[in-house]
Amino acid sequence: MPRFDPATDWKLLLAVPAIPLAGFVVNLFLERSLPRKGDWLLTGGMFVVMAIALWMAAKAIAAGFAGEEFFHQSRQDGFAWSWLYQTGKSPDSPLNLTAGILYDNLGAAMLAVVGVVSFFVHLFSIGYMKGDRRYHIFFANISLFTFAMLGLVLSDNLLIFFVFWELMGLMSYLLIGHFAHDPGHPRNLFATSACKKAFLTTRVGDTCLLVGMMIFYWKFQTLQFTELWRLAQEEVARHGGYYPTWMTVAGLFIFGGTVGKSAQFPLHIWLPDAMEGPTPVSAMIHAATMVAAGVFLLGRTFPLMSPEVLAVVTVVGSFTALFAATIGTTVNDIKGVLAYSTISQLGFMVAACGLGGVVFGMFHMVTHAFFKACLFLCAGSVIHGCHHEQDMRRMGGLRKFMPVTFACMLASTLAIAGIPLFSGFYSKDEIIKTAFERSLTHFEGASFFAALALPAAALLTAFYMFRLMFMTFFGAYRGAEAHGHGHEDHGHAHVPHESPWPITVALCGLALLGILGGHFWLAAPGDPLASHTPPWFLRMVSLERLYGGLVAEPHVSEHVEHQAHGLALSISLGVALAGLLIAFLLYQARKIDPARIVRALGGVYHTVANKYWIDEIVNATVVRPTIGLALAQKWFDENVVDGIVNGLGILNRTLGFVSAWFDLKGVDGAVNGVGATTQAFGSVARLFQTGRIQQYVTFAVAGGLLLAAWLILS
Amino acid sequence: MDAYLDQLGSIAPEITLTVFSLIVLVQDLIQKGRNSDAVGGVTLLGLSIAFFQLLSHAGDPSRTVFGMVVVDHFAGFFKLFTLAAVAAVVFFVMSDRRERKHGVGEYYFLILGAAVGIFFMVGTNNLLLLMLGLELLSLASYSLAGFHKGSRKSAEASMKYVIFGGMSTGVMLYGISLLYGLTGTLDLTAMGASAGSGLASSLAAQLHASPVPVAIAVVLVLAGFAYKVSAVPFHFWTPDVYEGAPTPVTTFLAVASKAAGFGALLRFLGGLFMRSGVGADVLQYGARIGLLVAILSAITMTLGNFAALRQQSLKRMLAYSSIAHAGYVLLGVATMTGAGFSAAMYYLAAYYLMNLGAFGFLLYFEGITGSEDVDSLKGMGWKAPAVSVAMVAFLISLTGLPPTVGFYGKYLLFVAGWNANLGWLVLVAALNSVVSLFYYLRVAKALFLTDESSKSAAPQPLFVGFLVLLGAATVALGIYIQPLQSWAERSLDILART
Amino acid sequence: MGVGAYLAVSAALFALGIVAIVVRRNVLYVLMGIEMILNAANINFVAFSRHNGGRLDGQMFAIFVIILAAAEAAVALAIVLNVVQLFDSVNPGGVDQLRD
Amino acid sequence: MERSSKVFYALLALLALALIGGGLGAAGGEGLAFGLFAFLTVGGGLMCVFERSVVRSAFSLLATFSGTAGLFLLLGADFLAMAQILIYVGGILALILFGVMLTPPDLTERRLPRVVTGLVLVGGAVAWIGFQVRASVVWATAETLPPLESNARRIGVGFLAAGQYVVPFELAAVVLTVALVAAVYIARRKKSDLEPDAVEGDPAPRTGEP
Amino acid sequence: MHTHILTWITFVPLIGMAVILCLPRNATAAIKGVSLVATFIPLVLATQVYFGMFDKTASGFQLVERASWIAGIKAQYFMGIDGISLSLVWLTTLLLFIAVPASFNIEKAQKSYYALLMLLEVGITGVFVSLDFFLFYVFWEIMLLPMYFLIGIWGGPRREYAAIKFFLYTLAGSVLMLVAVVALRIDSGSFSIPDLISMAHAGRLTGEHLPYGGMLVGMKFATWVFWFLFVAFAIKVPVVPFHTWLPDAHVQAPTPISVILAGILLKLGGYGMMRACFPIVPGAFHEFAFVLGVLGVTSIVYGSFVALGQTDFKRMIAYSSVGHMGYVLLGFAALTEQGMNGAALQMFNHGTSSAACFLVVGVLYDRAHHRDLNGFGGISQVMPRYWALSTVAFFASIGLPGMGGFISEWMTLVGAFQSGDPRFRILVLISTIGIVITAAYLLWAMQRVFLGKLNEKYKDLPDISFREVFSQAPLLFLCILLGVFPFLLLDWMSVSVRGLVSMLGGILQG
């Protein structure tokens, strides 16, 4: 297998983000002169990116399988770019900021995932976005997004990481709002506020991340990942193996970034709304890549996290996993289900990181990217096929109309539900195993919570996913009557149809990865459950290799590991099948009427169906008070500050005069009281300037006397 | 006899002015008021002759002629500016057609007479001559203020002026009499000097015993000066008289008369308290009087500015503005230092320029709009851009913004004030100039910030050219500052021992 | 008599002059008051002139003051008569067209 | 005679007694003369301020001016006393009387409270200042008084010789010329002067005080 | 070096003004042409200075010109630039050059307009290059009058009120400055800012040559001099609570003037502090650094909140300036090399981004003739190119990484975080509220104006014209360029900033 060659590979890696960036620029400025508005150019570019990423990943995998170290920093043997200063300050100066590429096992895997998913999404979009009035903008934007994500993966430095992180936020904003520019589109109005909500909510998390970065920079005078890890270990060592408090604080702030970007409770509210964007966007940004960046951040900063932070991470992650899954069971919007599913799955990853199983979290991130992207694309295909219908209650029986989509969707559903042989099983199983392991070795509440919440979430996952499958693809088609009178004039065929080839090719590609992405069981048929050989990802990435040997694998006794493994295997299998079964009973076999359960649950159901009223709570506690505060301050500024500043000394009155002259009729309410003020102030001079000469003389004599008296008496 | 002629030569400008005043009077009588331009021309001729006579003696060392008349740089400074101002006023009268129906002979006669008064007022150390000069100026001014006989405003102005002026000069005379009693002399330079005249007492001796009598005498004399420069509390006549008097006369009062009052005031205080050679007690008491002046200065500028804020009439506003400016100049006076005095003189020079311009502007627009109201200027800036731009230069100079001559004057005043422990007064003055911005800007606002007016401006190229020239000078002297400043400093020779 | 006695008289006359200017509502009183003030000053000049060695300057000053008084009276009266004619009133308080 | 007048003249008589008596007691004959002239001066002024009729007030000034002239005489300024009588009594007072005759009389304008208040306030202030001054003043007086002699000649020489009074003398001439021309200009009436100024457009006359 | 390039940069527009005044009133094409040339020459010269004549590795002032001016008070014609002023001079020349084409749609009294614009450039550039305090003050005031007329004549309906308010506030500040200048001159005997700084550094600027040892109304010399100078500059910045002139002036001013106002005039305040306030009274600056920090954070948070409450598009942008300039003050107050660099950078970046935002507003106002945020909707559908440019401008203002604003905000915040005073860390935490709120109001505005249902009234609006793009594009290009290559500014200013920080006794890093 090829080995990493600094001479050429750094250039290749630079080309990876550069290609989509170039594509963006070209498409933005040359859209009119390009045939087909340049979609082929960008998709072709993405194919090259995918090829490079896979080629590079192959080197990493090979190294991993060979048990070799694979950890490359461009500033050591390639290039480093002084960002802030190029003369006068050395690249190593703490003031300066040097950008480089960090390419390790995790980065390689992530790069490959992003490259693959991006390519397929591009491909999918060619079919899906056909006829959109801002077609070229869409492609330009999604290209730029890809650039940002790739850059983020490659950055060796927290600040550069943050730059791409925010850039993704911008692209997310623009892409969610894609339909906001299209008045004809039914989701136009939703999109306008959804994009804003997404950006602002993640912005809160980003700001936390910024603060966390500042604290680390303040203490360590660097933001380079490797340096941070090393210094953090030294700092901990200096404190006798304990993490100082400031690191806990800083770690929590950093985790804030993850909460925002990866849609963890309570900042998850933006993600369901983000589904207003075009489906390829949901697939790529809000399922496979961008939201995973939060987890990736945890992966990059894991050595900085104190146990206290990790406990918080665990609780937040597992709670989010369970919480989002419950909502997922009640949603009827096909993309909504997937959105809550994404939140839930992200909770799994976050919880894994909190539990110390960073590697498993990352693994789940990879597999999730494949199957969730596929699910979304399938959903997109369904929506496309059903003429932009998203409500599952108006679908059904699509299996017959769209067989390819159905197959792909089924494969991905099995993957997410954690059915063995499908990719999701391997990663989710590891996470649950970690939870048990940690519960057994550390007697702490966070781990116990995770150990209870995660399997429950897995159960619900299987349930709602199969609910989706049953409602969409099985039974009879329920969309005809709605279409019958609602969209008479559309002129479309009212029967759902299979999507064109770019869509189906993309679906198939991703579905394949959804099946095989976890473990190459076809290559190792003897060990389909990966009991003996760990899946490829775990052979490539391990805790030691991830942080250059700085973080050791937690020691778990053989016995405990075995116990946990067994427990996890059985439980995850059990819950997956249980979920499937319940869904089958409810929605396919119709043995139980869902309505009865709803009635039985009463208020609980309503709470869940209304997303626990989180949006309403946030609206009431954050949004309204903020706007109220803003209005109050506006009032304060216009009436009080202006007043106080003017009132300092004489300005108020004089300004009053001026305004009075200028607004002769007192048109402006702000200066209405001015007439009176003018009178009051002017009367002093007026009092004396009576026009009567004898009074003048009197005043003058009196004034003169006062002066004389002052001179005599003082 | 040569010596006598020589002495006469020293007061040649005064003689010239007197002679020409009679000439124009007679000329007008002969011409029966039919050729007013010729009369004006002769007046200007007299003024220019006097001007060159002054210049020809400009470098001479200071000397006293006829026992009382002092010919020094200080006097020369004020005389030159007075001539320039008077010439401008005559020019204004000639440019204003409305003035022609009144007797121009008397007009120019009185103006020249007033100029003679100013010349003696600033050119003497003797209180008798000072008083005579001041009265000559006053009498001419009273009647000039009432020159529009048929106009009630003009008559009222002159009545107020004569009553206030009569009382003030009376009070001042009484003060002079007390000073005479305290020092036994009418010569300022001798008053402060230590007892060398064989008299039993002197200012120093009196101050040693008690300052109260000196205080009374000085306050009474200051009342007269305060009236002349319209400082609080002797300013009351100013707005009414300025408003009622014919505009060229107002110009004369605001510019020449007021500056002359300051010239005399500087000479009085400088000669009495600050001349080199006066005793320590006298110097110290001078500082005390300086504090009194400082208080007056603060009140004067504040009152002037605030009252000006409320005026609708540009003329009255400029009147209050001139009160405020008196306050600024008083700041320099209050320092009781050479630097302060020369700053005051510089500021007066600036004041000549910008107020001549501002009043000329007023006159120009009175001729067009027939009104003195600021509102009547609305949109005129677009009609008469050159004059209006010049006016803006005057206004920013009056406000005290660079790069104009007024700014530098204020700067010098501030520095002098600081050095003389008057930091608070500097602060008051600084804030006052902010207040003044309001009403000055109102004019600029009316001119330019409204749409073009429908009134049309009669072409008066000479007048316009004159105002533009003044405006250019206001700015140019604000950038090329050194000559005027050096001149003001050089002219401050009243403090030296003779 | 000492100089103080003359001074007392002049001070009293000065005060009366001020009072005459201020309290009476007839413009002629104002003129009379001014004359009183000038007279008061003159008494001082002459008294001091005698008591500080018979110098001439005080008396000379007094003569000039008398001349000034005459000149001022003439001008003032002309102005006052003009005003009285235009305003039909001797009350200076009624002449208040010019004011703030 | 109204009551206030009675009181006033009684007080005036008291003042006369005090001044003349006091002068007599203090310095004999000279004191008597001083007291008399002082009374004439001050009493005339008081009467001028008090009298209701402007004619009487003007005539009471006659006393003041004459009293002053008397004081000048006592101070050895005989020329000045003469000039005082000539110019003040003969010139200025006559001028004022002309003024009185040319203006409408207004007997109601005198307000006694105002007069009394003015007298008390101004008199009080002047008296207070006088006492302040008196306590500490050091007048520039010579040890001995020069003999009383006529100095008209000295004054004349002072005026006319090429001494320091030449310029003031000439200047006084200018002052008088200016005053004359000004007074004549303002007092002289041409028909056109009385037409209201077209430019200013004065409003209707406002007379009297409210 | 004996070159008069700074004089040329400063006074070429004055020549332009003279030429314009000589042209007839109706020769508008010629007037515009002359204006373009007269603003383009300084830009070329400034660029030449930037990339050719200026030695970025040298400390101290460069391209110094020195001549006696008023011998009587030892005021000099003393000009020179260092890294701090260089970038601002360049920005000035650029924005004025941009302002000319942006003004082409002004119809009223064009001759006067362009003449005043030229005069304005003279004043602003003069302030940035003056090293003599007297000269500095003169230029400072020269700038006022053209600004007054430019707002007052060509502004919106309440232009007169806004113009006088602007003039008044600035003048109120500048008279305080004048008083301080007078006192400094008396105490030091010099107007030269470098001399004053070195004297202050040597501890010889104590007010001992002043009466009462320099005390004024009960305050120590250094204290009141500091506050007088600070307030003079703070009004210009503007720092809350001296900011209320800003929204009025901005709202009423015509678009190009808003651009200059936000782009450069506000920088005069910050520049003044760096050049002529802090180094002259370093002791007092140390003493009150925390107060300054609090003011800065107040400006950030308060400005953002008030902006959030606005319904007037332009007023919102105006308040955003208050918030953004708060970072500058915070960066100063922290007294760290990084913070100071960040503040200096922020001045430039705010100059480009806010200028671009005002151009954005102007484009819309020219078409719709109102600025009510709630009165639009869906504009991006009819004006897609305009929307694209606006988005860049808005996100530059939000401080999106990759744009200049991010670097400077990051540097100021992180610089403040590392201040020797631990209280600054709290301040930084509070100021992060501003980051979120800034995004909130800009995005909300974006939503209301550009997204959603198209307001039928505006369905025929023409898209942004070439002339408008020509004005905006350089600014947006700079926003991005400096976000990617911040060293294009930082390299030039770092030596000077380092010198300043070390003189102030701040924390040097690296």
Side-chain angles (χ1 to χ4, degrees), chain B residues 321-360:
Chain B
S321 138
S322 87
I323 294 177
H325 283 275
Y328 297 139
V329 181
L330 280 178
L331 196 169
V333 178
T335 59
M336 298 299 269
T337 59
F341 277 24
S342 74
M345 286 168 70
Y346 182 92
Y347 198 81
L348 282 170
Y351 178 85
Y352 271 113
L353 265 180
M354 52 206 191
N355 263 354
L356 271 184
F359 278 106

Side-chain angles (χ1 to χ4, degrees), chain E residues 87-88 91-92 94-95 236-239 245-246 250 257-271 299-300 303-304 307 314-329 341-359 392-399 403-409 412 438 441-442 475-476 478-480 482-483 489 493:
Chain E
S87 61
L88 293 169
L91 181 66
T92 307
L94 174 73
L95 282 185
K236 206 85 191 178
V237 167
V239 174
W245 64 269
L246 182 83
H250 267 315
I257 302 308
S258 289
V259 168
I260 293 170
L261 198 58
I264 328 170
L265 252 70
L266 308 190
K267 312 307 171 293
L268 287 170
Y271 171 75
S299 299
I300 296 173
S304 315
K314 211 170 180 187
R315 225 177 154 77
M316 184 195 82
I317 304 287
Y319 274 106
S320 87
S321 287
V322 176
H324 284 128
M325 291 306 284
Y327 289 103
V328 175
L329 195 57
N341 263 316
L345 193 60
Q346 170 78 351
M347 289 205 284
F348 190 96
N349 285 329
H350 177 255
T352 51
S353 68
S354 71
C357 284
F358 278 113
L359 285 171
V392 180
F394 274 29
F395 277 91
S397 187
I398 287 175
M403 312 272 207
F406 169 72
I407 312 271
S408 44
E409 282 174 26
T412 44
T438 304
Y441 64 73
L442 285 168
L475 296 173
L476 300 177
L478 276 177
C479 285
I480 295 170
L482 291 171
L489 277 178
M493 60 176 56

Side-chain angles (χ1 to χ4, degrees), chain A residues 32 81-87 89 93-95 97 133-134 137 159 162-164 166-167 170 173-174 177 180-183 188-189 192-193 195-196 199-200 203-204 207 210-211 213-215 217-218 221 223 253 626-627 629-631 633-634 636-638 641-642 645-646 648 651 655 658-659 662-663 668 671, chain E residues 56 158 160-161 164-165 168-169 172 241-244 248 301-302 305-306 308-311 315 319 337-338 341 380-381 385 387 391 395 398-402 406-407 410-411 413-414 417-418 425 428-429 432 435-437 439-440 443-444 446-447 450-453 483-487 490-491 494 498 509-510:
Chain A
R32 284 177 208 291
W81 183 54
S82 296
W83 192 32
L84 297 187
Y85 300 91
Q86 294 219 320
T87 50
K89 295 258 188 298
S93 156
L95 271 189
L97 203 111
R133 63 190 289 272
R134 296 169 74 248
I137 299 270
L159 191 61
F162 184 77
V163 169
F164 289 117
E166 284 280 300
L167 198 55
L170 166 69
Y173 168 81
L174 292 176
H181 304 275
D182 186 353
N188 171 275
L189 280 183
T192 59
S193 57
C195 59
K196 184 188 69 181
F199 191 88
L200 286 183
R203 184 89 177 167
V204 174
T207 307
L210 194 74
V211 173
M213 284 160 59
M214 273 194 283
I215 300 177
Y217 180 81
W218 165 46
Q221 294 290 302
L223 285 171
F253 273 116
T626 304
I627 297 204
L629 190 62
L631 291 176
Q633 290 199 11
K634 178 183 180 232
F636 181 77
D637 196 73
E638 280 164 7
V641 178
D642 220 4
V645 172
N646 293 342
L648 286 179
L651 296 185
L655 205 63
V658 176
S659 325
F662 291 164
D663 307 302
D668 196 329
V671 286
Chain E
K56 59 188 172 189
R158 280 172 45 83
E160 293 156 3
Y161 174 78
I164 192 127
K165 204 168 173 185
L168 181 87
Y169 269 63
F242 307 110
H243 65 285
T244 50
D248 286 318
V301 176
Y302 185 84
F305 265 107
V306 180
L308 183 62
Q310 300 301 326
T311 53
R315 225 177 154 77
Y319 274 106
E337 192 179 352
Q338 203 159 14
N341 263 316
S380 77
Q381 294 150 25
R385 270 206 307 266
W387 170 78
T391 309
F395 277 91
I398 287 175
L400 189 84
F406 169 72
I407 312 271
W410 158 258
M411 286 180 81
L413 287 179
V414 99
F417 206 79
Q418 299 177 73
R425 287 187 260 292
V428 172
L429 287 185
T432 53
I435 298 179
V436 177
I437 302 296
L443 291 189
W444 194 21
M446 191 128 208
Q447 178 192 358
F450 291 105
L451 308 182
K453 274 243 173 320
V484 182
F485 305 114
F487 59 83
L490 283 169
D491 276 355
S494 64
R498 192 178 172 84
Q509 297 152 308

Side-chain angles (χ1 to χ4, degrees), chain D residues 19-88:
Chain D
L19 281 175
I20 297 170
L24 187 66
E30 194 202 341
L32 178 81
F34 175 81
L36 183 68
F37 292 138
F39 168 69
L40 277 178
T41 311
V42 178
L46 273 173
M47 222 173 112
C48 171
V49 173
F50 178 82
E51 271 300 339
R52 197 182 277 282
S53 148
V54 67
V55 183
R56 296 176 86 156
S57 290
F59 273 109
S60 67
L61 270 192
L62 185 64
T64 301
F65 293 153
S66 314
T68 312
L71 291 176
F72 288 169
L73 269 179
L74 283 179
L75 288 165
D78 52 350
F79 179 80
L80 207 56
M82 208 61 73
Q84 169 86 4
I85 297 287
L86 276 175
I87 300 177
Y88 261 110

Side-chain angles (χ1 to χ4, degrees), chain A residues 262-405:
Chain A
S262 291
Q264 298 298 290
F265 180 85
L267 296 184
H268 65 280
I269 46 173
W270 66 270
L271 190 56
D273 288 34
M275 296 302 134
E276 303 302 342
T279 308
V281 171
S282 308
M284 175 145 102
I285 300 184
H286 306 121
T289 55
M290 186 186 86
V291 288
V295 183
F296 186 70
L297 171 69
L298 277 182
R300 283 293 190 221
T301 56
F302 180 72
L304 311 177
M305 301 296 190
S306 70
E308 292 80 8
V309 179
L310 290 178
V312 172
V313 172
T314 308
V315 172
V316 170
S318 3
F319 178 75
T320 309
L322 181 58
F323 162 86
T326 56
I327 300 175
T329 58
T330 62
V331 180
N332 287 320
D333 183 304
I334 185 168
K335 282 176 77 179
V337 175
L338 295 179
Y340 282 103
S341 155
T342 305
I343 297 174
S344 173
Q345 296 303 310
L346 288 166
F348 272 94
M349 303 172 208
V350 169
C353 293
L355 291 163
V358 177
V359 180
F360 309 128
M362 299 300 128
F363 186 23
H364 195 55
M365 179 172 84
V366 170
T367 56
H368 175 258
F370 295 142
F371 59 69
K372 186 52 69 62
C374 185
L375 280 171
F376 266 113
L377 294 188
C378 289
S381 176
V382 166
I383 294 167
H384 190 257
C386 295
H387 311 289
H388 298 285
E389 179 56 65
Q390 296 198 12
D391 193 330
M392 295 194 293
R393 286 167 296 189
R394 301 222 182 103
M395 298 174 180
L398 295 179
R399 188 175 32 144
K400 296 182 280 276
F401 301 105
M402 331 175 68
V404 181
T405 306

